[in-house]
Amino acid sequence: MSRQRKTIHFDTNPFICEHCGLTVPSPLSGTKNRNHCCHCLHSKHVDMKIGDRRSGCRGTMEPIGLWVKDSEECAVIHRCQKCGFIRTNRIAGDDNEVVLFTLAARLITQLPFPAKVALEKIERQQMGGEHV
C-alpha cells in the first residue's frame, strides 16, 4: 500500500490580477495565502483540491456571492467562467469592502419577487395586523 503525499501550495508573493490588471500585494500578517485579488475579488482556477495546483482549467473565477459559515466567518463564492467549477474562499482583511458589499446586496436587489411588497407585509405583521 502506497501513500501519496499531499502538497499544499500557499502563495505569498505579489501578483498582477488577470481580471483587473492591478497589483495584488503579499497577504497581510496572519493570512496564510492569497487566493484572490483584493481589488476585484476575482481568482484563478488552479486547484482541484485546496492548494494542490493540479487543475488544468486556469479559467477566471468570478465572485458570485458571499457565504456566512456556521463559525460566522464570511467567504466569497467563486465560479469558474470557463468550466463552471464553484469554490469558496475566505475573505481577507484587505479585500475591497465596496465589492464585498455589492456581492451582499446583489441578492436583495435581484429577488424573484417584489421586495417592497414583502417588506410591507412584514411591517404589517410586526404591527399585529396581518398573519401569513
Side-chain angles (χ1 to χ4, degrees):
M1 177 188 250
S2 66
R3 291 184 177 195
Q4 290 184 331
R5 264 192 163 173
K6 288 184 177 180
T7 303
I8 298 176
H9 300 274
F10 293 114
D11 292 331
T12 58
N13 296 322
F15 62 91
I16 305 292
C17 175
E18 291 184 14
H19 179 75
C20 70
L22 295 175
T23 300
V24 180
S26 296
L28 297 173
S29 166
T31 303
K32 286 183 186 174
N33 66 324
R34 166 84 63 197
N35 53 23
H36 60 266
C37 173
C38 59
H39 307 290
C40 68
L41 306 184
H42 280 70
S43 184
K44 189 171 184 175
H45 186 186
V46 294
D47 295 340
M48 293 173 71
K49 293 183 179 178
I50 295 173
D52 67 4
R53 301 298 187 259
R54 295 184 61 206
S55 173
C57 178
R58 305 293 192 229
T60 299
M61 301 284 284
E62 174 189 19
I64 59 171
L66 295 177
W67 174 44
V68 179
K69 300 178 181 180
D70 290 341
S71 63
E72 298 186 9
E73 179 180 42
C74 194
V76 177
I77 303 169
H78 286 107
R79 179 179 48 217
C80 181
Q81 293 178 313
K82 188 174 176 184
C83 72
F85 181 78
I86 292 180
R87 164 149 295 149
T88 61
N89 290 299
R90 298 173 66 187
I91 63 169
D94 59 350
D95 283 348
N96 184 322
E97 293 175 348
V98 172
V99 178
L100 287 169
F101 186 82
T102 301
L103 285 173
R106 183 181 292 170
L107 177 64
I108 297 294
T109 60
Q110 298 177 357
L111 291 172
F113 55 87
K116 184 177 178 182
V117 172
L119 183 59
E120 289 170 354
K121 202 180 256 186
I122 292 168
E123 288 174 343
R124 283 194 300 270
Q125 289 175 354
Q126 294 295 322
M127 301 300 282
E130 184 180 320
H131 297 283
V132 177

